[in-house]
């Protein structure tokens, strides 16, 4: 599995970086996954929870 943030959908609320800073960060004002965490973090419960709570529904777990 892999976690990602769709920059076309994200509007930069910052919730992901605030709630799960070990996985998410901000790049150019939008949410992003910290490089190297895309695959290792996808199964973590807090990442799945953040995907459900993302205000713009930009977080994808595939």
């Amino acid at each position: 599995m892999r976690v990602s943030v769709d920059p076309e959908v994200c509007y930069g609320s910052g919730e992901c970086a605030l709630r799960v800073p070990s996985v998410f960060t901000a790049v150019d004002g939008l949410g992003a996954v910290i490089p190297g965490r895309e695959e290792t973090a996808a199964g973590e419960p807090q990442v799945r929870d953040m995907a459900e709570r993302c205000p713009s529904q930009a977080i994808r777990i595939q």
Side-chain angles (χ1 to χ4, degrees), residues 1-44:
M1 280 194 272
R2 183 176 179 89
V3 63
S4 62
V5 178
D6 185 340
E8 298 295 320
V9 177
C10 179
Y11 58 73
S13 72
E15 286 293 312
C16 58
L18 178 68
R19 294 181 185 269
V20 193
S22 63
V23 176
F24 299 102
T25 189
V27 174
D28 296 329
L30 300 176
V33 179
I34 294 172
R37 297 288 285 152
E38 299 92 346
E39 293 179 16
T40 59
E44 294 179 17

Side-chain angles (χ1 to χ4, degrees), residues 35-61:
R37 297 288 285 152
E38 299 92 346
E39 293 179 16
T40 59
E44 294 179 17
Q46 67 269 27
V47 172
R48 290 184 172 278
D49 184 54
M50 191 63 243
E52 291 176 13
R53 293 175 182 254
C54 176
S56 62
Q57 297 297 294
I59 299 172
R60 308 278 187 250
I61 299 176

